[in-house]
Every structure is written in C-alpha cells, then in structure tokens.
Amino acid sequence: MPVVLAKRDLMVFVRHGKGTISSFIIPILHQILLNGPVKMEPSHEAQPRRFPLAVFVAASHVQVTRIYEECQRFTYRSQVRCFMIHSDDDTMIQFRGYSSSYHILITEATCFDKLIDYDAIGFDYCRHLVVQGIDKMLQGGLKAQICRVLQNYTQCHPSQRQTLLLSTTLPREIQWLAEEFLDDFVFLKVGYVNLPRSDVIQKIVPVGEEHKRSFLISILMAAGIRDISNGKDALTLVFVEKKKDVNALDVLLNQNGYPVTSIHGERSSTEREEAVRLFCSGQCPVMIGTLMAIRAVDLPSVMHVILYDMPQDIEKYSICLSYTGHPDKVGLATSFFSNKKNLTTLVPELVDMLKASQQEVPTCLQRLVTSREQHLPVVTKGESEIEQCPIKPQGNGEQLTTTTTVIS
C-alpha cells in the first residue's frame, strides 16, 4: 500500500491468499476519491470511447469476477462505479450496453485487447493499471496481448500513470516486462518465491503408474474424507496433468463415495465457479484439476495437496505446494513419483529443495541423483523401488480396505 500511495510502479511476487486484491484496490480508491471527479471533454462520436481512471486486467473470468466483487465491496455507497467485462459473452455487446459512466474497469486480457482494436477505450485519464497473475497469462500464451496493453498504456502520459504487475512466480519473461514497461519501479517479494515454506511437510512417495488410483483412494480413506461434516477442515487438492485423467478420477472417486468436484480448461465458467463454490464451502472437500485451471481461481489454504502427476519442472512443483500451509497450521503435500516419466531435470532440483526446506529425501531420489552424477545408467522397471507401490492393491485395484501411514 505505501508503494501504491507513493505513485511508484511496482513488480510484486506474492503467494496465494495474501490479500493482494484488497491491498491494491484500497490505495487506488483512496487516490480516486482524494482527487475528485475528472472533467472530461464531451464526445460527439456515435460510439463514444470510455475513459476509466483505473484498469484491472486478470487472467481468467473467475479472477475478473473476484476482483469486481472486491471493488464493489469497497466502493459501496460511494460515487465510484465499477464495470466488469469477461470473455463468456461478446465483449462489445457488454461494453456498449453499459451506458453509465464508470471509473474502474475490470477485464480479461483478451477482452481488453479487443477494446483496443475497436478503439472503444482511451487511457487519457487512466492513472492506474493493475495486471493480476501476469505469469499465468504468459503461460497461457497471452504475451502479445499483455505487451500491447502495457505499450498502449505506458505511452499515454508516462509521468502521470502507474503500472502495477502481480505474479506468484519469477520467470525471466516477467523480469523483462518489468524492465521494458515499468519506470523507476519497486521490486517487491512477499515471503518465499519458488521455495515452499517450512510449514509444508513434503512427502515424495514412489508409486507405480498402475497403482496410482488405488493409492489415491487409500490416502483419502485414511484422511476420513468421506465424512463431509468436517469438510472445510479437510480440503484436499489433487493436481493431474491431463484433462481426461481429471474426468476419470472424478468418476472413480464419486463411484467410491467420496464428495469430489473437478475443474479443467474445457469446463464452462459457470461450471468452474460452481466447482470452486462446492470446494471452498466444504461440500466437496476434494477438488481434482489441472494446474492451469486451478491457478486461474483463488482458493483458500488447503489441508492437503496431492500431486497425482509429478510436474516436469521445479517451478510448477512449487506452485502446487503454495496452496497448502499457513503460519498457524502445517500443510501437507504428497507427490506420486514414478520413473516412467522423464524427470531427470526435476530430480536434482527437487532434492536440493527438499534439503533446503529440511525435508526428508527419499532413497529413490538420492539414488537417481547419485547415478546421474556418476554417469551410471538409471535403473529400469523391475530393478527400482520407484516402480513398487508402498501399498499392495486389493481386489480390482480400484478400491482399498486398508489404510496407509503416509500422511501420519
């Protein structure tokens, strides 16, 4: 807040659940109210352009909705009006249908790009541009749109404008964007970046691909997830790599009596919002999803994160773990590790991270690192403990009657 009030550009890296939306809305709203209404020149165009005083750009419809709700909360009973544009409907129909003047615009990057194309928006009076989740946009292939938005904004009254970029990770592309478009900016990190806190217990468990489903059910059974009376205290996120596996696990767990919901990129915004609502309320304390889909929504700190599919790089691993752990409560992260996937790049960095976080390093990982350093051939299936499931499946391998001590 002091940086925003000082009218400095800002590049901030912050983990989930830190109140970033409020910390930007409050000082921006303060300056809008302090400066009073802006006298705009009357427009004689058939389709006049809009001139917002502040613009929030987010990565997804869910984020746009969340920011809009926060803006509405803080601008209640004031003269400041907010307007939201999302990608579910035609952008210009929404935009032209809003006849009243507004001060704060909240939109997705793709929609904002269209507004620039249609010459429907002007930056003449805009003094604040906030880009939320810029790392998600870059990973989602929106680099061109983001650069265009920043370029159009920074060229208009550079001495009076303020640009604020928010990210949860620290890729090199973001550093380039900051140096290219920010002027005299403050570089701020809140907590650890790309390194899990010490209040997250990390368990790397060797599980063969054919035993993953059985092992997942055994973990949920041991945690007592079927008892949804304590759902909000047992929130569990399951990260899966492929959309088809998300659907398959959703069906499997529902058939076995677990209150579960799921989310991925092919679901509609209504379906995604309903899934998030069911999860956050505790009605469905288990959510299965792809990393990209889960990153597009704001979730509370959960009790347990399960990496059903191990990510290929350490950055994605760190992002998954960022959803659990709290200063007042220890979180748990369980990762299913199998050498069927090419994880040779991840393993050394993962071992270093476990050591840095003072976590137990499994023997299977240490052996892989040692064999790699000595240029020895990595053991194959049948010779490695990685392919041996810690729990022997029973029956058809889909449902277990035994429990595990992995989360004890």
Side-chain angles (χ1 to χ4, degrees):
M1 286 188 184
V3 176
V4 181
L5 289 172
K7 300 180 181 180
R8 296 281 300 276
D9 285 359
L10 177 64
M11 178 75 256
V12 59
F13 300 91
V14 59
R15 295 177 57 164
H16 298 278
K18 294 293 184 181
T20 53
I21 298 176
S22 302
S23 65
F24 283 90
I25 292 174
I26 292 173
I28 289 175
L29 179 60
H30 168 77
Q31 294 182 61
I32 291 176
L33 294 172
L34 189 66
N35 296 328
V38 176
K39 293 183 180 180
M40 301 182 184
E41 295 294 330
S43 175
H44 302 288
E45 301 173 2
Q47 293 293 342
R49 291 190 295 168
R50 303 288 196 269
F51 298 94
L53 303 181
V55 175
F56 285 79
V57 182
S60 68
H61 176 203
V62 175
Q63 279 189 325
V64 168
T65 304
R66 181 65 61 87
I67 296 173
Y68 177 74
E69 291 173 351
E70 287 291 290
C71 283
Q72 289 287 76
R73 202 156 62 93
F74 287 111
T75 58
Y76 180 66
R77 288 187 177 274
S78 75
Q79 297 297 317
V80 179
R81 296 185 180 90
C82 307
F83 182 53
M84 170 181 66
I85 298 180
H86 52 75
S87 59
D88 277 9
D89 301 309
D90 185 85
T91 301
M92 292 312 299
I93 290 178
Q94 297 176 74
F95 193 70
R96 290 170 179 168
Y98 193 78
S99 57
S100 304
S101 61
Y102 62 87
H103 306 90
I104 300 177
L105 171 66
I106 305 104
T107 180
E108 293 181 59
T110 51
C111 296
F112 205 21
D113 195 48
K114 291 180 182 179
L115 295 179
I116 295 175
D117 281 336
Y118 297 143
D119 196 27
I121 188 171
F123 290 114
D124 301 54
Y125 305 98
C126 187
R127 297 295 177 265
H128 313 279
L129 174 66
V130 182
V131 183
Q132 176 100 4
I134 192 168
D135 52 337
K136 301 176 187 179
M137 298 182 196
L138 292 176
Q139 291 182 0
L142 299 178
K143 181 179 178 180
Q145 288 88 337
I146 288 299
C147 288
R148 190 180 182 201
V149 169
L150 291 171
Q151 187 174 21
N152 276 268
Y153 177 67
T154 54
Q155 288 178 351
C156 184
H157 303 291
S159 62
Q160 301 178 22
R161 51 90 179 157
Q162 182 180 43
T163 309
L164 311 168
L165 307 181
L166 287 85
S167 175
T168 55
T169 57
L170 187 55
R172 292 180 180 178
E173 282 186 300
I174 290 183
Q175 299 179 58
W176 173 82
L177 285 175
E179 295 173 358
E180 181 73 16
F181 295 106
L182 301 188
D183 179 43
D184 188 27
F185 68 96
V186 175
F187 183 91
L188 177 65
K189 292 196 296 182
V190 181
Y192 294 102
V193 178
N194 295 345
L195 180 64
R197 301 186 300 253
S198 58
D199 55 4
V200 178
I201 299 175
Q202 301 173 59
K203 296 290 184 181
I204 313 296
V205 185
V207 184
E209 289 288 331
E210 65 275 18
H211 300 311
K212 278 185 175 181
R213 293 187 176 188
S214 301
F215 192 48
L216 175 62
I217 292 178
S218 70
I219 290 178
L220 298 179
M221 184 182 298
I225 297 296
R226 280 176 173 167
D227 181 14
I228 62 173
S229 60
N230 297 321
K232 295 188 74 172
D233 298 324
L235 297 182
T236 302
L237 271 179
V238 182
F239 287 95
V240 180
E241 185 178 20
K242 299 178 181 178
K243 299 171 186 177
K244 65 177 184 179
D245 292 334
V246 172
N247 296 329
L249 287 178
D250 191 336
V251 173
L252 172 66
L253 295 181
N254 271 297
Q255 289 176 345
N256 282 270
Y258 290 95
V260 61
T261 185
S262 60
I263 182 173
H264 56 66
E266 293 183 357
R267 300 280 171 85
S268 67
S269 61
T270 303
E271 291 173 326
R272 294 195 298 268
E273 288 177 358
E274 178 63 12
V276 172
R277 186 191 68 80
L278 292 172
F279 179 69
C280 294
S281 66
Q283 292 178 257
C284 293
V286 179
M287 176 183 279
I288 307 168
T290 59
L291 176 58
M292 185 62 70
I294 292 177
R295 289 192 69 189
V297 300
D298 291 324
L299 298 175
S301 179
V302 303
M303 178 198 73
H304 193 180
V305 165
I306 300 175
L307 283 73
Y308 185 86
D309 292 314
M310 202 70 174
Q312 296 288 337
D313 60 75
I314 201 68
E315 181 179 303
K316 292 180 180 179
Y317 174 81
S318 300
I319 294 170
C320 293
L321 267 61
S322 69
Y323 285 89
T324 187
H326 191 272
D328 301 324
K329 192 173 183 180
V330 175
L332 176 63
T334 303
S335 304
F336 294 179
F337 189 85
S338 168
N339 70 352
K340 281 189 177 180
K341 297 182 66 176
N342 182 18
L343 300 173
T344 54
T345 304
L346 171 70
V347 170
E349 295 178 314
L350 179 58
V351 170
D352 291 341
M353 174 176 285
L354 292 173
K355 292 178 178 179
S357 304
Q358 298 182 342
Q359 303 284 332
E360 179 184 354
V361 180
T363 305
C364 58
L365 293 186
Q366 197 61 60
R367 286 179 179 176
L368 287 174
V369 172
T370 303
S371 62
R372 188 169 181 265
E373 290 175 348
Q374 296 177 353
H375 304 286
L376 297 176
V378 178
V379 289
T380 57
K381 185 175 180 181
E383 302 173 307
S384 171
E385 62 177 299
I386 294 176
E387 292 300 330
Q388 303 303 317
C389 181
I391 298 178
K392 184 179 179 181
Q394 298 180 357
N396 60 6
E398 300 295 352
Q399 186 171 1
L400 302 180
T401 57
T402 59
T403 59
T404 176
T405 59
V406 170
I407 63 173
S408 62

